[in-house]
Amino acid sequence: MNVCLALDLDVDPQLVSEAVVTRLRRPDSSVPDYLLSRSRAGCTHEDLLTALDYPGLGDKLRARFFPLHNRVFSLSSLLVSWISLGLVPVLTLHIQVGPRCPDGQPQDSWHHQMVWGVAGEDVYLANPLDVMHSRVLSPQLDSSGELLIRRADIVSRFHPGLDLLDINRLGPRWRKMNVLGQVVNILREERSMLREQTAQSSVQEGPGAVASEVVTLTPHVRIPASYTAGVSLFCPLSNQDGLRHLREAPDLPVRK
């Protein structure tokens, strides 16, 4: 909708809502299925581009995605060149590598934001309205497809008898990242911490009591995400120069 508004296209919001496939988290499911839902939750750049096949959108817009992970780019210069061609950039950001939440935790997802302007190294964004320096945005665009899941989200969904081997059955990326091992490690830490707390509570503190050692717990599990960091460029069919760029521009060079 932000893209349509920026290009002054008359599009029904209900149509856009139907065109873009959005997957939900499954908060009440067991650990393996919950992790799978988190890896797919929301919509990817592919979903945004596929939406243009929907009747009422495809006759107005074209789009192309430029991956930026491990690519050579100067973000502000790149955005200025695209906007100057009448293209509307939508960033697919791994915001977990950006500024943290007020409680010090990483953000909880990936996110799309439309760029509506650039001034020097400041990038003006929508959804929500914000201004960010290119040095803050660039790491979020040069990021691999991963997602951090908070420890509490794992512990709260585990129950005895759960077959954690289902995590390995989710695919080769899950096995390569040893998500099963990460989950098992967190559960072992939790069990050990609970045993320690029980032991401590059964011992009456006295003048000679010794303080227990502070244990640092693993805060997150790292899982594969279905997202690819980069920029989707949207162009109205009336913009021939912009359409030519979408067809002919090479992908950005890979960083050596």
Side-chain angles (χ1 to χ4, degrees):
M1 279 309 303
N2 283 324
V3 169
C4 293
L5 289 169
L7 294 172
D8 199 25
L9 298 178
D10 185 16
V11 176
D12 182 358
Q14 182 62 33
L15 182 149
V16 176
S17 176
E18 294 171 355
V20 180
V21 175
T22 304
R23 288 164 291 276
L24 301 178
R25 303 180 184 187
R26 295 188 285 274
D28 298 326
S29 59
S30 63
V31 174
D33 187 64
Y34 173 74
L35 293 178
L36 180 62
S37 75
R38 289 295 309 274
S39 76
R40 298 174 174 174
C43 62
T44 66
H45 76 271
E46 293 169 332
D47 296 316
L48 298 180
L49 270 57
T50 300
L52 300 190
D53 296 332
Y54 202 82
L57 286 177
D59 60 349
K60 293 180 172 66
L61 285 168
R62 292 291 183 270
R64 176 180 166 184
F65 180 75
F66 286 82
L68 293 186
H69 175 49
N70 205 31
R71 306 279 175 161
V72 178
F73 65 94
S74 169
L75 182 58
S76 58
S77 300
L78 202 56
L79 292 173
V80 166
S81 67
W82 285 332
I83 293 173
S84 297
L85 283 171
L87 303 172
V88 178
V90 173
L91 311 182
T92 299
L93 299 163
H94 188 188
I95 60 174
Q96 289 192 325
V97 300
R100 297 205 163 207
C101 299
D103 63 359
Q105 289 277 357
Q107 302 284 341
D108 205 31
S109 65
W110 285 63
H111 189 53
H112 304 291
Q113 286 190 269
M114 189 199 84
V115 177
W116 58 268
V118 180
E121 294 297 322
D122 288 331
V123 180
Y124 290 74
L125 304 164
N127 187 32
L129 289 173
D130 203 354
V131 184
M132 287 194 183
H133 197 279
S134 61
R135 68 170 173 267
V136 176
L137 285 172
S138 292
Q140 301 176 56
L141 290 163
D142 186 7
S143 179
S144 58
E146 299 177 352
L147 185 69
L148 295 176
I149 306 299
R150 296 180 182 182
R151 172 192 190 85
D153 291 338
I154 302 295
V155 173
S156 63
R157 287 171 175 82
F158 176 75
H159 59 81
L162 179 64
D163 187 2
L164 290 176
L165 286 176
D166 282 344
I167 295 173
N168 273 350
R169 301 182 184 111
L170 296 177
R173 290 185 67 200
W174 295 78
R175 294 189 291 273
K176 184 177 181 180
M177 295 177 66
N178 191 27
V179 178
L180 174 60
Q182 295 180 66
V183 169
V184 169
N185 177 62
I186 274 185
L187 295 174
R188 283 174 177 165
E189 288 180 350
E190 188 72 12
R191 190 163 57 244
S192 177
M193 181 183 69
L194 291 175
R195 281 200 303 263
E196 176 70 17
Q197 289 175 346
T198 301
Q200 288 293 323
S201 63
S202 64
V203 176
Q204 183 176 2
E205 292 189 5
V210 178
S212 59
E213 182 181 353
V214 176
V215 178
T216 301
L217 300 174
T218 305
H220 298 95
V221 166
R222 189 181 302 272
I223 69 170
S226 58
Y227 290 83
T228 302
V231 182
S232 299
L233 296 179
F234 291 84
C235 180
L237 292 185
S238 58
N239 181 352
Q240 294 303 312
D241 289 338
L243 293 174
R244 188 178 305 109
H245 183 80
L246 294 190
R247 289 193 305 268
E248 300 176 0
D251 280 338
L252 296 169
V254 175
R255 187 168 57 245
K256 296 181 180 179

